[in-house]
Structures are given as structure tokens and as C-alpha cells.
Amino acid sequence: MNKKAIVIIAVSAAVVITACAVFVAAALYKWMFPGEYVVGEDEIALYITLELDEDIGLIVYDYTANGRAYSGGVSNADRSMIKRDDVIINVWDKEQLECDGETVDLTFKFRIITEYIDPNYENVYPVELTRYIDPVSLRAEFGNAYKIVISGGKESGYKALVAAP
């Protein structure tokens, strides 16, 4: 075999190996980081979509599931502000909501904390930084996702609306 044939074979092999490596890497990436959350059949996903005038510090929510009271909240672990156009996904399963039926009645009372402050388990924050939103309710079926849009701002006030996912 002459040198030219050996170079052509080597380059062809390198191209095939590179293409295979790129394909495998792309497949692994897609498997490890799927683009969209898929709700499990015993879960409810809540997409909290923000359409705010400014960034905020925390979102606190007191909620009931079939009359049982719970509380939670969202902040950024790096202590940065939550962006005014973020989408926050919360997921609950039947065990967390202490529910064994196929549906659950949910009511959320959101509070916006306008500046970042370290979260606490009591969900007690300074009055001057706290803005209350009228409660929203929905009957949720397990295995589905729901969307709540929070809009407004510190000066104009905030409101929450259950929207189509």
C-alpha cells in the first residue's frame, strides 16, 4: 500500500471515530439532562411562572392539600435574587400531600419577599419586605402539571392566576 492510501484510510477512520464519539456524547447528554420534566403518575407538578416588574428575594407559599396545612418557599441557593421572568417547578407526590386519591384540592397563599433575606423554617419575614397575594385554588389530578402565573410588582402589587399549562 502506498502512503496516500494509508493517509486516506487513517483520516477516514478518524472521521468515523469522531462522529461516533459526538453521537455518543450527545445521547448521554440528552439522557442525563432531559429537556422537559415529565410528571410521574403519583405526582403533581406546579409551574410557577413569573411575569414581574422586578427581581424578588423569595417566594413563600402556605398551602392546603385536602384541608391539611403545609408551608414552603423558594429562594436561590447562591443568595441571588429570583429573576422577574423565571419559571419555578415544584413537584409533590401522594405521600408528601398525604393523599391516596386521584385528585387533591389545593389552595396556595403566596407571599413575595421583595429583597433577598436568608430563608428560615418558620417562614417569618420582615413586614416591610413582605407582599401578600390573594389565594388561588385548583383541583389537581395526579400525573398532571399545572401553571400559576404571578404578575405585578412591588409598587403595583402582585397577583396570582391559575393558567393552562
Side-chain angles (χ1 to χ4, degrees), residues 4-160:
K4 188 174 182 181
I6 292 172
V7 170
I8 290 173
I9 292 171
V11 169
S12 297
V15 167
V16 169
I17 290 170
T18 302
C20 288
V22 168
F23 176 76
V24 169
L28 275 173
Y29 181 84
K30 186 119 174 118
W31 175 72
M32 291 173 61
F33 304 102
E36 187 175 315
Y37 179 76
V38 177
V39 183
E41 63 184 49
D42 71 333
E43 296 177 327
I44 293 169
L46 181 65
Y47 288 73
I48 302 171
T49 302
L50 302 180
E51 296 177 358
L52 304 175
D53 297 341
E54 66 273 321
D55 296 345
I56 58 174
L58 290 86
I59 299 174
V60 178
Y61 44 88
D62 301 307
Y63 62 103
T64 61
N66 288 343
R68 289 183 201 86
Y70 302 92
S71 188
V74 177
S75 67
N76 286 333
D78 65 0
R79 297 181 171 197
S80 65
M81 299 287 276
I82 298 170
K83 299 296 179 207
R84 61 187 198 86
D85 57 356
D86 274 353
V87 176
I88 299 160
I89 304 172
N90 281 320
V91 178
W92 295 273
D93 63 26
K94 287 182 176 185
E95 184 179 338
Q96 290 169 307
L97 297 175
E98 300 177 60
C99 180
D100 49 4
E102 295 305 312
T103 63
V104 60
D105 292 317
L106 296 169
T107 299
F108 293 92
K109 291 187 238 175
F110 292 98
R111 287 180 275 158
I112 302 297
I113 311 305
T114 58
E115 300 295 326
Y116 182 84
I117 188 167
D118 286 331
N120 60 69
Y121 288 107
E122 296 81 28
N123 280 333
V124 176
Y125 299 97
V127 173
E128 64 274 10
L129 300 179
T130 304
R131 303 292 186 275
Y132 292 88
I133 301 176
D134 289 338
V136 293
S137 298
L138 64 114
R139 171 163 272 192
E141 288 185 32
F142 286 94
N144 291 315
Y146 298 89
K147 179 178 176 181
I148 294 180
V149 178
I150 298 178
S151 60
K154 189 185 331 186
E155 299 304 319
S156 62
Y158 298 96
K159 61 182 175 180

